[in-house]
Amino acid sequence: MSTTTERPAGHPADGPAPAAGTTAAPAARPAKFRRRGESSPLSRALSHGVLILASLLALFPVAWILFVSLGPDKSDYLHPGQILGKLTLSNYQHVLADTDFFTWFGNALLVSGVTTVFGVLVAATTGYAVSRMKFPGHKPLMWSLLVTQMFPIAVLIVPMYTMLSELDLLDSYAGLILVYSTTTVPYCAWLLKGYFDTIPVEIDEAGRVDGLSPFGTFWRLVLPLARPGLAVAAFYSFLTYWAEVPFASTFMLSSDKYTLAVGLQTFVSEHDAQWNLMAATAVLIAIPSAAFFYLVQRHLVTGLTAGASKS
């Protein structure tokens, strides 16, 4: 039977005992290492500072227009320090009561709303057809849509004016909607084609097994799944043509058919510019855009990044 012998404290085998009145040194702490991809506190502070600065630069023009719109005189933008002592909403009252603002608002809402619905519907059917149906010429079709985005507006105005004149569509909402659709459909078709590529083809096959037609499969199964992509396309279309100037100012000739952007030009004459009224109108124009962005914002990130990883 084995036995163990207890050694008294301070035995030489235990090493030298600490001197009286002293304490044992604490164990050294292991060095702290940053995980891969983790940034240092200095780099985080710098990145946050840059982001804050960029946000302030982005918000400054909006805040400046809002501030100038509260000054009663058209030259207050030259002396912004004087506006604080005479803040007023008289500019908004004048724009809403003494101008054709609500007529401009209705025209802009009609044109941009119909363009958004019609353009997104055509772009969705085009993008879905190219994504799912490999018909002859589908690649040249998409390349032709891409090429149309290369021409600047200044080059397109003259031929479009000629065509609308020959079709008797000048100074009409239908003509302006067609012009807007020819520019919004190509971009939205490419956008939605990339989103439809991320939706599994098995969903289409399941729809055909259940007896749905190709259009029924698209309308009842695929389109609801493409809601984020549709939100991005609708937001792009509405925001682009809500305050569009070159086409509207060229093709809309009657004052009662002016859109908001064209009506805004009535505050500028050859020898004078009412900057306070223009600032107030600009703020009012931005409100529907901000409201529309609020409605679709939860779909924007998903819709913009959905096709990024699809080859």
Side-chain angles (χ1 to χ4, degrees), residues 89-107:
L89 296 176
S90 60
N91 294 327
Y92 294 93
Q93 181 180 0
H94 177 77
V95 169
L96 295 175
D98 302 330
T99 68
D100 295 329
F101 175 81
F102 289 105
T103 301
W104 305 335
F105 182 90
N107 295 338

Side-chain angles (χ1 to χ4, degrees), residues 5-293:
T5 304
E6 296 182 358
R7 295 192 298 268
H11 192 275
D14 294 334
T22 62
T23 58
R29 295 181 179 178
K32 185 178 180 181
F33 296 97
R34 291 199 305 269
R35 290 176 293 183
R36 179 178 297 179
E38 183 180 2
S39 57
S40 64
L42 178 60
S43 62
R44 287 198 297 268
L46 290 175
S47 61
H48 282 78
V50 171
L51 291 175
I52 292 174
L53 179 61
S55 300
L56 292 177
L57 291 176
L59 291 175
F60 176 76
V62 180
W64 176 257
I65 292 296
L66 179 61
F67 183 66
V68 171
S69 69
L70 298 176
D73 301 326
K74 61 183 179 181
S75 60
D76 281 337
Y77 74 97
L78 297 174
H79 311 284
Q82 300 178 3
I83 298 179
L84 290 175
K86 50 182 181 180
L87 295 177
T88 179
L89 296 176
S90 60
N91 294 327
Y92 294 93
Q93 181 180 0
H94 177 77
V95 169
L96 295 175
D98 302 330
T99 68
D100 295 329
F101 175 81
F102 289 105
T103 301
W104 305 335
F105 182 90
N107 295 338
L109 186 63
L110 173 64
V111 173
S112 58
V114 174
T115 301
T116 299
V117 175
F118 177 74
V120 171
L121 180 61
V122 174
T125 53
T126 304
Y128 177 76
V130 176
S131 175
R132 293 293 196 268
M133 306 172 187
K134 306 304 180 183
F135 53 89
H138 72 280
K139 289 186 177 180
L141 172 63
M142 295 305 292
W143 280 111
S144 64
L145 294 178
L146 184 62
V147 169
T148 59
Q149 303 296 297
M150 300 170 57
F151 298 98
I153 293 179
V155 176
L156 298 175
I157 285 181
V158 174
M160 285 187 173
Y161 187 94
T162 303
M163 288 188 292
L164 292 180
S165 178
E166 293 178 353
L167 296 173
D168 198 21
L169 291 177
L170 277 178
D171 197 26
S172 66
Y173 301 126
L176 189 59
I177 291 171
L178 287 177
V179 170
Y180 286 166
S181 299
T182 58
T183 56
T184 190
V185 167
Y187 173 81
C188 292
W190 268 98
L191 173 70
L192 293 173
K193 189 265 181 187
Y195 195 89
F196 288 135
D197 287 344
T198 65
I199 299 177
V201 183
E202 289 76 12
I203 294 179
D204 301 63
E205 297 174 352
R208 288 195 294 270
V209 170
D210 291 339
L212 293 176
S213 63
F215 183 79
T217 302
F218 164 74
W219 186 261
R220 299 180 61 180
L221 299 181
V222 179
L223 207 60
L225 296 176
R227 190 175 302 167
L230 295 174
V232 174
F235 179 72
Y236 165 80
S237 301
F238 182 84
L239 196 65
T240 301
Y241 300 112
W242 172 250
E244 193 275 334
V245 176
F247 287 141
S249 60
T250 303
F251 303 142
M252 306 306 283
L253 309 177
S254 303
S255 59
D256 60 338
K257 294 183 180 179
Y258 284 172
T259 59
L260 279 171
V262 181
L264 188 64
Q265 295 180 342
T266 60
F267 298 121
V268 180
S269 62
E270 184 178 357
H271 304 288
D272 189 22
Q274 298 172 308
W275 296 107
N276 54 333
L277 300 181
M278 292 183 65
T281 308
V283 173
L284 295 174
I285 292 175
I287 293 175
S289 301
F292 191 77
F293 172 78

Side-chain angles (χ1 to χ4, degrees), residues 187 191 195 228-229 232 299-308:
Y187 173 81
L191 173 70
Y195 195 89
V232 174
H299 297 299
L300 289 180
V301 176
T302 303
L304 287 171
T305 59

